[in-house]
């Protein structure tokens, strides 16, 4: 099964940070979703980011790589997305997924090793992103 991971980065005091969120039922994560039938990967990334965070990004998302997760063999495709909006340090977005959940977004230092609150799949994803971005 193919998944898409929209990635938003920022440089903060010489530290590269990635946008992440706390899911109230499933720990700390990156935005991720399923690519719908006949949907272009870059469009899926933009759609998933909007659905899970409310963010509207530029239509120029760029593929930065993909890999197969060891734990479940899913094929994850990563797309760098850009927004013109000035994003705050943290915010809560009420996502309609799962009957409506509040996701708490924040910036995570990409070099920082994830703790146990990060699901195994997202720990793999962060490791992959560190290799290609740092």
């Amino acid at each position: 099964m193919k998944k898409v991971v929209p990635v938003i980065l920022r440089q903060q005091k010489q530290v590269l940070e990635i946008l992440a969120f706390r899911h109230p039922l499933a720990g700390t994560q990156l935005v991720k979703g399923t690519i719908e039938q006949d949907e272009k990967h870059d469009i899926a990334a933009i759609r998933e980011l909007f659905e899970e965070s409310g963010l509207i990004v530029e239509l120029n998302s760029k593929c930065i790589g993909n890999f197969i997760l060891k734990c479940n063999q899913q094929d994850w495709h990563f797309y760098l997305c850009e927004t013109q909006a000035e994003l705050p340090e943290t915010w809560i977005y009420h996502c309609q997924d799962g009957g409506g959940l509040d996701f708490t977004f924040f910036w995570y230092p990409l070099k920082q090793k994830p703790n146990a609150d990060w699901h195994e799949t997202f720990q793999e994803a962060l490791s992959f992103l560190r290799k290609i971005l740092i």
Side-chain angles (χ1 to χ4, degrees):
M1 179 176 292
K2 289 186 179 184
K3 301 285 185 179
V4 67
V5 181
V7 174
I8 293 187
L9 301 172
R10 76 172 186 180
Q11 193 77 29
Q12 192 76 354
K13 297 180 182 176
Q14 300 182 355
V15 175
L16 186 60
E17 297 177 327
I18 188 168
L19 185 64
F21 71 96
R22 286 180 194 85
H23 188 291
L25 306 174
T28 305
Q29 304 183 7
L30 301 173
V31 173
K32 167 195 66 71
T34 301
I35 300 165
E36 295 176 0
Q37 187 173 349
D38 299 325
E39 186 177 33
K40 291 182 179 181
H41 290 48
D42 59 336
I43 300 301
I46 291 167
R47 176 185 52 76
E48 284 293 338
L49 190 60
F50 178 74
E51 288 176 2
E52 293 191 13
S53 72
L55 292 177
I56 297 172
V57 295
E58 305 294 317
L59 292 176
N60 62 351
S61 60
K62 176 182 144 198
C63 180
I64 56 175
N66 77 292
F67 82 108
I68 309 283
L69 289 173
K70 292 176 187 166
C71 64
N72 62 13
Q73 299 303 301
Q74 286 182 348
D75 187 6
W76 284 22
H77 297 257
F78 296 81
Y79 278 80
L80 188 59
C81 298
E82 297 178 5
T83 179
Q84 296 300 318
E86 187 72 28
L87 300 178
E89 287 299 309
T90 184
W91 73 91
I92 295 172
Y93 181 74
H94 185 74
C95 180
Q96 296 305 315
D97 287 358
L101 298 169
D102 288 338
F103 293 168
T104 303
F105 283 85
F106 65 97
W107 296 97
Y108 186 79
L110 200 52
K111 281 188 176 181
Q112 187 173 318
K113 186 174 175 20
N115 62 24
D117 192 45
W118 286 85
H119 187 277
E120 178 184 4
T121 57
F122 294 101
Q123 290 187 35
E124 279 189 61
L126 286 171
S127 176
F128 171 76
L129 288 167
R130 277 195 298 277
K131 288 176 188 171
I132 64 171
L133 295 172
I134 298 178

